[in-house]
Amino acid sequence: MCDVGASKTQIVYNCNLNFHHVVPHLELLIKNGLVVRVDEAVVRYQTTPRGADALWHLRELEELIAEFRDAAEEMPAG
């Protein structure tokens, strides 16, 4: 969502957070170079190339964890 930029309001609604909780998350993402604040008529937040790379790795890990969970469920108890 933030690869093209998103306002804080859009982030709040899409992530099901409130404004109080989203601020520390955005600050952490900015501090780590994963998102940048773009000051325009409306302030927007945009994913950096580093953030896009981190997101790709996170999704890969989520898939791997799901595969491990599925494999564990198929193992006989014992």
Side-chain angles (χ1 to χ4, degrees):
M1 170 183 174
C2 287
D3 53 337
V4 295
S7 69
K8 191 183 296 183
T9 302
Q10 289 172 316
I11 295 168
V12 164
Y13 286 117
N14 284 305
C15 296
N16 198 27
L17 294 171
N18 65 42
F19 283 93
H20 178 73
H21 288 111
V22 79
V23 172
H25 292 287
L26 285 171
E27 289 173 354
L28 181 64
L29 292 169
I30 291 168
K31 177 183 171 187
N32 287 288
L34 303 174
V35 169
V36 293
R37 178 185 161 130
V38 180
D39 291 312
E40 297 175 345
V42 174
V43 174
R44 300 183 73 73
Y45 297 88
Q46 188 170 12
T47 306
T48 64
R50 180 179 177 184
D53 189 48
L55 186 57
W56 181 85
H57 286 289
L58 178 61
R59 289 180 177 150
E60 289 291 311
L61 283 171
E62 287 176 333
E63 288 179 22
L64 185 60
I65 290 168
E67 287 180 33
F68 278 116
R69 186 178 307 121
D70 292 345
E73 289 174 359
E74 292 175 4
M75 291 181 150

XYZ file of all heavy atoms in Angstrom:
618
model
N 0.813 -1.187 0.000
C 0.000 0.000 0.000
C 0.860 1.256 0.000
O 0.571 2.205 -0.692
C -0.897 -0.022 1.227
C -1.610 1.259 1.442
S -2.567 1.187 2.931
C -3.076 2.846 2.950
N 1.920 1.266 0.773
C 2.726 2.481 0.890
C 3.766 2.613 -0.213
O 4.537 3.553 -0.202
C 3.415 2.528 2.250
S 2.285 2.880 3.592
N 3.791 1.689 -1.146
C 4.767 1.819 -2.220
C 4.445 3.008 -3.109
O 5.335 3.590 -3.724
C 4.895 0.533 -3.030
C 3.562 0.017 -3.545
O 2.525 0.355 -2.971
O 3.574 -0.741 -4.530
N 3.195 3.416 -3.190
C 2.817 4.610 -3.945
C 2.516 5.771 -3.005
O 2.186 6.847 -3.451
C 1.600 4.353 -4.867
C 1.952 3.359 -5.946
C 0.404 3.897 -4.069
N 2.631 5.544 -1.730
C 2.379 6.560 -0.730
C 0.983 6.452 -0.161
O 0.035 6.152 -0.874
N 0.878 6.665 1.131
C -0.420 6.595 1.803
C -0.447 7.622 2.920
O 0.573 7.867 3.575
C -0.652 5.200 2.372
N -1.598 8.203 3.137
C -1.752 9.143 4.244
C -1.871 8.357 5.547
O -2.131 7.146 5.546
C -2.998 9.998 4.043
O -4.158 9.200 4.192
N -1.685 9.050 6.647
C -1.813 8.388 7.942
C -3.218 7.810 8.102
O -3.398 6.712 8.620
C -1.503 9.365 9.074
C -1.360 8.675 10.418
C -1.129 9.670 11.551
C 0.160 10.402 11.400
N 0.422 11.315 12.546
N -4.220 8.527 7.619
C -5.600 8.049 7.704
C -5.771 6.744 6.929
O -6.386 5.795 7.429
C -6.574 9.115 7.167
O -6.409 10.310 7.930
C -8.012 8.642 7.250
N -5.216 6.679 5.732
C -5.315 5.443 4.940
C -4.622 4.286 5.656
O -5.139 3.162 5.676
C -4.682 5.650 3.564
C -5.480 6.555 2.664
C -4.735 6.897 1.391
O -3.545 7.208 1.414
N -5.445 6.833 0.276
N -3.471 4.554 6.243
C -2.741 3.507 6.963
C -3.551 3.034 8.159
O -3.685 1.831 8.395
C -1.355 4.021 7.392
C -0.499 4.314 6.155
C -0.660 3.016 8.307
C 0.775 5.079 6.436
N -4.109 3.971 8.911
C -4.914 3.624 10.094
C -6.066 2.705 9.706
O -6.279 1.661 10.333
C -5.438 4.908 10.785
C -6.564 4.598 11.755
C -4.301 5.616 11.494
N -6.803 3.064 8.669
C -7.966 2.258 8.285
C -7.567 0.921 7.676
O -8.187 -0.101 7.972
C -8.861 3.039 7.325
C -9.649 4.118 8.026
C -9.456 5.455 7.711
C -10.565 3.801 9.020
C -10.166 6.454 8.362
C -11.280 4.795 9.679
C -11.074 6.105 9.350
O -11.785 7.078 10.002
N -6.531 0.890 6.852
C -6.128 -0.363 6.214
C -5.455 -1.334 7.175
O -5.501 -2.540 6.968
C -5.222 -0.098 5.017
C -5.997 0.383 3.823
O -6.932 -0.267 3.391
N -5.630 1.535 3.300
N -4.816 -0.812 8.209
C -4.127 -1.670 9.177
C -4.961 -1.935 10.417
O -4.510 -2.624 11.330
C -2.796 -1.035 9.579
S -1.649 -0.892 8.209
N -6.168 -1.348 10.451
C -7.069 -1.520 11.585
C -6.406 -1.101 12.900
O -6.469 -1.813 13.896
C -7.591 -2.959 11.653
C -8.833 -3.071 12.510
O -9.579 -2.110 12.654
N -9.040 -4.230 13.096
N -5.728 0.038 12.863
C -5.119 0.621 14.057
C -5.844 1.920 14.373
O -6.703 2.359 13.628
C -3.639 0.916 13.799
C -2.725 -0.269 13.567
C -1.352 0.207 13.115
C -2.602 -1.105 14.828
N -5.479 2.548 15.463
C -5.977 3.893 15.714
C -4.803 4.859 15.608
O -3.648 4.454 15.553
C -6.715 3.994 17.064
C -5.803 3.747 18.242
O -4.669 4.220 18.286
N -6.299 3.022 19.226
N -5.106 6.148 15.571
C -4.060 7.151 15.364
C -3.022 7.124 16.478
O -1.843 7.369 16.241
C -4.675 8.544 15.229
C -5.294 8.769 13.885
C -6.627 8.516 13.658
C -4.521 9.214 12.828
C -7.204 8.724 12.410
C -5.077 9.423 11.572
C -6.420 9.168 11.366
N -3.445 6.812 17.678
C -2.519 6.747 18.813
C -1.490 5.637 18.625
O -0.323 5.812 18.960
C -3.307 6.540 20.114
C -2.448 6.424 21.327
N -1.794 7.503 21.874
C -2.112 5.352 22.085
C -1.103 7.093 22.928
N -1.287 5.805 23.079
N -1.907 4.500 18.090
C -1.004 3.359 17.929
C -0.162 3.426 16.666
O 0.919 2.844 16.607
C -1.801 2.044 17.936
C -2.324 1.694 19.286
N -3.659 1.733 19.584
C -1.696 1.326 20.417
C -3.832 1.387 20.842
N -2.657 1.143 21.382
N -0.629 4.095 15.640
C 0.092 4.095 14.371
C 1.361 4.960 14.436
O 2.343 4.655 13.770
C -0.824 4.508 13.205
C -1.022 6.003 13.139
C -0.281 4.001 11.888
N 1.356 5.993 15.240
C 2.497 6.916 15.297
C 3.795 6.209 15.680
O 4.801 6.351 14.980
C 2.194 8.117 16.221
C 3.436 8.966 16.450
C 1.078 8.958 15.630
N 3.843 5.426 16.774
C 5.110 4.765 17.104
C 5.565 3.776 16.026
O 6.767 3.625 15.774
C 4.840 4.033 18.421
C 3.501 4.438 18.874
C 2.822 5.188 17.784
N 4.611 3.138 15.367
C 4.968 2.205 14.298
C 5.599 2.953 13.125
O 6.623 2.525 12.588
C 3.742 1.417 13.825
C 3.217 0.456 14.841
N 3.851 -0.719 15.157
C 2.115 0.512 15.624
C 3.170 -1.362 16.089
N 2.115 -0.627 16.388
N 4.996 4.056 12.740
C 5.553 4.847 11.647
C 6.930 5.388 12.014
O 7.852 5.377 11.195
C 4.612 5.996 11.279
C 3.368 5.606 10.493
C 2.418 6.795 10.383
C 3.741 5.072 9.117
N 7.084 5.864 13.249
C 8.381 6.378 13.688
C 9.457 5.298 13.618
O 10.585 5.558 13.197
C 8.272 6.944 15.103
C 7.496 8.240 15.166
C 7.247 8.728 16.583
O 7.567 8.007 17.553
O 6.716 9.844 16.722
N 9.116 4.080 14.026
C 10.072 2.975 13.974
C 10.439 2.619 12.538
O 11.610 2.393 12.214
C 9.496 1.747 14.687
C 10.387 0.514 14.752
C 11.637 0.809 15.576
C 9.633 -0.659 15.341
N 9.441 2.593 11.659
C 9.699 2.301 10.250
C 10.581 3.377 9.616
O 11.505 3.070 8.863
C 8.378 2.172 9.488
C 7.525 0.960 9.845
C 6.132 1.102 9.234
C 8.187 -0.321 9.403
N 10.325 4.634 9.949
C 11.132 5.733 9.421
C 12.550 5.651 9.977
O 13.530 5.782 9.230
C 10.475 7.086 9.753
C 9.183 7.248 8.950
C 11.437 8.245 9.487
C 8.308 8.412 9.405
N 12.672 5.427 11.274
C 13.988 5.341 11.924
C 14.858 4.269 11.282
O 16.073 4.428 11.157
C 13.799 5.040 13.414
C 15.074 4.855 14.182
C 14.781 4.491 15.622
C 16.054 4.082 16.332
N 15.778 3.563 17.679
N 14.239 3.180 10.855
C 14.990 2.065 10.271
C 15.087 2.127 8.756
O 15.537 1.182 8.116
C 14.370 0.739 10.718
C 14.688 0.462 12.167
O 15.820 0.143 12.498
N 13.715 0.633 13.048
N 14.653 3.237 8.176
C 14.806 3.428 6.740
C 13.890 2.572 5.887
O 14.177 2.329 4.721
N 12.776 2.130 6.455
C 11.843 1.284 5.712
C 10.728 2.097 5.058
O 10.136 1.661 4.080
C 11.250 0.216 6.643
C 12.290 -0.673 7.333
C 11.611 -1.591 8.339
C 13.096 -1.458 6.334
N 10.474 3.273 5.618
C 9.436 4.177 5.122
C 9.990 5.599 5.212
O 10.779 5.906 6.101
C 8.146 4.047 5.986
C 7.147 5.139 5.695
C 7.506 2.684 5.788
N 9.569 6.454 4.291
C 9.915 7.871 4.360
C 8.632 8.697 4.413
O 7.600 8.291 3.879
C 10.785 8.349 3.168
C 12.152 7.720 3.213
C 10.106 8.094 1.848
N 8.737 9.835 5.054
C 7.620 10.775 5.114
C 7.784 11.734 3.938
O 8.837 12.352 3.772
C 7.663 11.530 6.429
C 6.594 12.560 6.576
C 6.793 13.332 7.869
N 6.069 14.589 7.796
C 5.245 15.021 8.718
N 5.052 14.309 9.811
N 4.628 16.160 8.583
N 6.757 11.861 3.122
C 6.772 12.751 1.965
C 5.837 13.909 2.278
O 4.624 13.717 2.414
C 6.316 12.006 0.689
C 6.328 12.941 -0.501
C 7.186 10.780 0.437
N 6.421 15.092 2.429
C 5.621 16.272 2.756
C 5.093 16.908 1.485
O 5.837 17.497 0.710
C 6.467 17.280 3.544
C 6.803 16.775 4.936
O 5.881 16.302 5.614
O 7.981 16.852 5.332
N 3.812 16.755 1.274
C 3.114 17.372 0.143
C 1.929 18.126 0.721
O 1.934 18.437 1.913
C 2.658 16.283 -0.844
C 3.804 15.503 -1.459
C 3.336 14.350 -2.337
O 2.158 13.974 -2.251
O 4.166 13.838 -3.101
N 0.926 18.410 -0.070
C -0.284 19.054 0.461
C -0.853 18.206 1.595
O -1.274 18.721 2.622
C -1.310 19.229 -0.650
N -0.829 16.893 1.396
C -1.193 15.931 2.433
C 0.050 15.094 2.694
O 0.662 14.574 1.760
C -2.358 15.015 1.967
C -2.624 13.929 2.982
C -3.606 15.833 1.696
N 0.448 14.999 3.956
C 1.622 14.188 4.293
C 1.338 12.744 3.941
O 0.276 12.206 4.263
C 1.971 14.325 5.794
C 3.089 13.378 6.174
C 2.344 15.757 6.122
N 2.281 12.131 3.244
C 2.133 10.731 2.850
C 3.362 9.968 3.325
O 4.419 10.553 3.533
C 1.974 10.616 1.341
C 0.737 11.379 0.842
C 0.484 11.236 -0.615
N -0.021 9.936 -1.023
C -1.248 9.479 -0.812
N -2.096 10.201 -0.163
N -1.619 8.305 -1.253
N 3.208 8.680 3.481
C 4.298 7.800 3.878
C 4.515 6.815 2.749
O 3.567 6.233 2.229
C 3.949 7.089 5.189
C 3.782 8.086 6.320
C 2.551 8.675 6.574
C 4.875 8.466 7.082
C 2.395 9.611 7.577
C 4.725 9.404 8.097
C 3.488 9.973 8.336
O 3.352 10.899 9.320
N 5.777 6.644 2.378
C 6.090 5.809 1.223
C 7.157 4.790 1.593
O 8.138 5.108 2.266
C 6.578 6.686 0.075
C 6.749 5.953 -1.216
C 6.997 6.916 -2.364
O 7.260 8.095 -2.168
N 6.915 6.408 -3.569
N 6.964 3.574 1.137
C 7.926 2.509 1.369
C 9.200 2.786 0.588
O 9.155 3.149 -0.578
C 7.334 1.151 0.922
O 6.079 0.966 1.571
C 8.253 -0.003 1.261
N 10.349 2.591 1.240
C 11.640 2.753 0.576
C 12.012 1.438 -0.103
O 11.390 0.394 0.174
C 12.735 3.099 1.596
O 12.879 1.993 2.505
C 12.419 4.375 2.358
N 13.028 1.435 -0.953
C 13.482 0.167 -1.520
C 13.877 -0.838 -0.425
O 13.593 -2.031 -0.529
C 14.688 0.561 -2.372
C 14.388 1.970 -2.791
C 13.706 2.583 -1.580
N 14.507 -0.334 0.645
C 14.861 -1.219 1.759
C 13.602 -1.789 2.414
O 13.548 -2.961 2.789
C 15.684 -0.449 2.781
C 16.083 -1.281 3.959
C 16.926 -0.512 4.944
N 17.189 -1.389 6.070
C 17.819 -1.045 7.149
N 18.299 0.165 7.259
N 18.006 -1.895 8.117
N 12.567 -0.964 2.547
C 11.307 -1.429 3.124
C 10.622 -2.460 2.252
O 10.066 -3.446 2.745
N 10.664 -2.253 0.939
C 10.072 -3.223 0.011
C 10.811 -4.555 0.097
O 10.189 -5.625 0.082
C 10.106 -2.681 -1.413
N 12.130 -4.491 0.217
C 12.933 -5.707 0.342
C 12.608 -6.436 1.649
O 12.434 -7.654 1.673
C 14.419 -5.357 0.278
C 15.305 -6.569 0.189
O 15.031 -7.454 -0.648
O 16.292 -6.637 0.959
N 12.493 -5.673 2.733
C 12.150 -6.277 4.028
C 10.773 -6.923 3.970
O 10.563 -8.029 4.501
C 12.196 -5.216 5.123
N 9.821 -6.270 3.325
C 8.475 -6.818 3.191
C 8.491 -8.111 2.388
O 7.809 -9.079 2.734
C 7.554 -5.794 2.544
C 6.085 -6.154 2.450
C 5.503 -6.460 3.818
C 5.318 -5.017 1.788
N 9.285 -8.154 1.320
C 9.395 -9.366 0.510
C 9.931 -10.513 1.367
O 9.390 -11.623 1.341
C 10.324 -9.129 -0.686
C 10.448 -10.320 -1.568
C 9.620 -10.688 -2.574
C 11.463 -11.340 -1.490
N 10.053 -11.858 -3.143
C 11.184 -12.286 -2.493
C 12.571 -11.532 -0.675
C 11.974 -13.404 -2.699
C 13.359 -12.652 -0.877
C 13.055 -13.574 -1.887
N 10.971 -10.246 2.156
C 11.538 -11.291 3.022
C 10.534 -11.736 4.082
O 10.450 -12.941 4.394
C 12.830 -10.802 3.683
C 13.993 -10.730 2.762
N 14.629 -11.853 2.258
C 14.630 -9.671 2.207
C 15.613 -11.493 1.457
N 15.637 -10.168 1.407
N 9.781 -10.798 4.624
C 8.769 -11.144 5.620
C 7.719 -12.078 5.029
O 7.335 -13.074 5.644
C 8.110 -9.881 6.166
C 6.997 -10.084 7.181
C 7.516 -10.806 8.411
C 6.372 -8.757 7.559
N 7.281 -11.774 3.831
C 6.284 -12.638 3.173
C 6.852 -14.018 2.894
O 6.148 -15.028 3.040
C 5.785 -11.976 1.899
C 4.897 -10.782 2.189
C 4.405 -10.121 0.936
N 3.492 -9.025 1.273
C 3.347 -7.947 0.552
N 4.029 -7.785 -0.570
N 2.516 -6.998 0.921
N 8.115 -14.089 2.493
C 8.756 -15.387 2.270
C 8.804 -16.191 3.573
O 8.540 -17.393 3.577
C 10.180 -15.195 1.719
C 10.220 -14.691 0.288
C 9.734 -15.731 -0.710
O 10.192 -16.878 -0.652
O 8.878 -15.369 -1.544
N 9.143 -15.543 4.675
C 9.175 -16.220 5.969
C 7.792 -16.693 6.392
O 7.650 -17.790 6.942
C 9.756 -15.291 7.043
C 11.261 -15.122 7.022
C 11.686 -14.009 7.975
C 11.955 -16.417 7.389
N 6.770 -15.876 6.138
C 5.412 -16.293 6.472
C 5.023 -17.554 5.714
O 4.397 -18.456 6.275
C 4.419 -15.171 6.174
C 4.491 -14.029 7.150
C 3.573 -12.877 6.777
O 3.272 -12.700 5.571
O 3.156 -12.154 7.694
N 5.405 -17.633 4.445
C 5.115 -18.835 3.657
C 5.866 -20.041 4.204
O 5.308 -21.145 4.296
C 5.482 -18.606 2.193
C 4.538 -17.669 1.469
C 4.952 -17.441 0.027
O 5.684 -18.283 -0.533
O 4.533 -16.418 -0.545
N 7.116 -19.843 4.573
C 7.919 -20.930 5.114
C 7.344 -21.424 6.441
O 7.247 -22.632 6.676
C 9.369 -20.468 5.302
C 10.380 -21.509 5.744
C 10.470 -22.653 4.736
C 11.742 -20.856 5.911
N 6.946 -20.500 7.299
C 6.342 -20.882 8.578
C 5.058 -21.670 8.352
O 4.812 -22.678 9.025
C 6.091 -19.630 9.443
C 7.434 -19.057 9.915
C 5.180 -19.942 10.619
C 7.338 -17.680 10.538
N 4.248 -21.258 7.395
C 3.012 -21.983 7.086
C 3.325 -23.394 6.607
O 2.633 -24.354 6.982
C 2.202 -21.221 6.041
N 4.378 -23.537 5.801
C 4.762 -24.868 5.329
C 5.201 -25.752 6.491
O 4.844 -26.932 6.559
C 5.888 -24.758 4.300
C 5.443 -24.235 2.959
C 6.600 -24.136 1.973
O 7.531 -24.970 2.046
O 6.570 -23.210 1.142
N 5.987 -25.194 7.425
C 6.416 -25.963 8.595
C 5.214 -26.355 9.451
O 5.129 -27.481 9.946
C 7.412 -25.169 9.447
C 8.819 -25.231 8.943
C 9.459 -24.077 8.504
C 9.523 -26.423 8.912
C 10.763 -24.123 8.036
C 10.824 -26.483 8.450
C 11.446 -25.329 8.012
N 4.278 -25.421 9.621
C 3.088 -25.721 10.417
C 2.283 -26.848 9.775
O 1.840 -27.776 10.447
C 2.230 -24.453 10.540
C 1.057 -24.629 11.477
C 0.226 -23.365 11.641
N 1.039 -22.225 12.016
C 1.134 -21.095 11.307
N 0.466 -20.961 10.189
N 1.886 -20.093 11.717
N 2.100 -26.780 8.448
C 1.362 -27.829 7.740
C 2.056 -29.169 7.873
O 1.419 -30.207 8.086
C 1.200 -27.461 6.268
C 0.283 -26.273 6.057
O -0.457 -25.905 7.004
O 0.338 -25.686 4.953
N 3.383 -29.177 7.735
C 4.148 -30.421 7.846
C 4.017 -30.992 9.259
O 3.884 -32.206 9.432
C 5.609 -30.192 7.488
N 4.054 -30.141 10.276
C 3.948 -30.602 11.654
C 2.576 -31.210 11.925
O 2.453 -32.190 12.657
C 4.218 -29.457 12.621
N 1.542 -30.639 11.324
C 0.192 -31.147 11.523
C 0.006 -32.499 10.861
O -0.824 -33.297 11.295
C -0.835 -30.138 11.000
C -0.938 -28.890 11.840
C -1.839 -27.839 11.227
O -2.385 -28.076 10.119
O -1.991 -26.770 11.854
N 0.752 -32.773 9.807
C 0.633 -34.047 9.100
C 1.425 -35.157 9.776
O 1.217 -36.333 9.462
C 1.120 -33.876 7.659
C 0.214 -32.979 6.832
C 0.771 -32.714 5.443
O 1.812 -33.288 5.091
O 0.148 -31.911 4.714
N 2.327 -34.822 10.677
C 3.136 -35.839 11.359
C 2.272 -36.603 12.359
O 1.422 -36.022 13.019
C 4.306 -35.183 12.118
C 5.342 -34.591 11.238
S 6.636 -33.894 12.280
C 8.016 -34.083 11.208
N 2.535 -37.887 12.455
C 1.795 -38.674 13.434
C 2.183 -38.261 14.864
O 3.317 -37.869 15.127
C 2.218 -40.117 13.158
C 3.460 -40.020 12.344
C 3.462 -38.679 11.693
N 1.206 -38.294 15.763
C 1.468 -37.939 17.165
C 2.356 -39.000 17.780
O 2.276 -40.178 17.476
C 0.155 -37.826 17.925
N 3.175 -38.554 18.659
C 3.943 -39.578 19.302
C 5.176 -39.110 19.834
O 6.024 -39.354 20.453
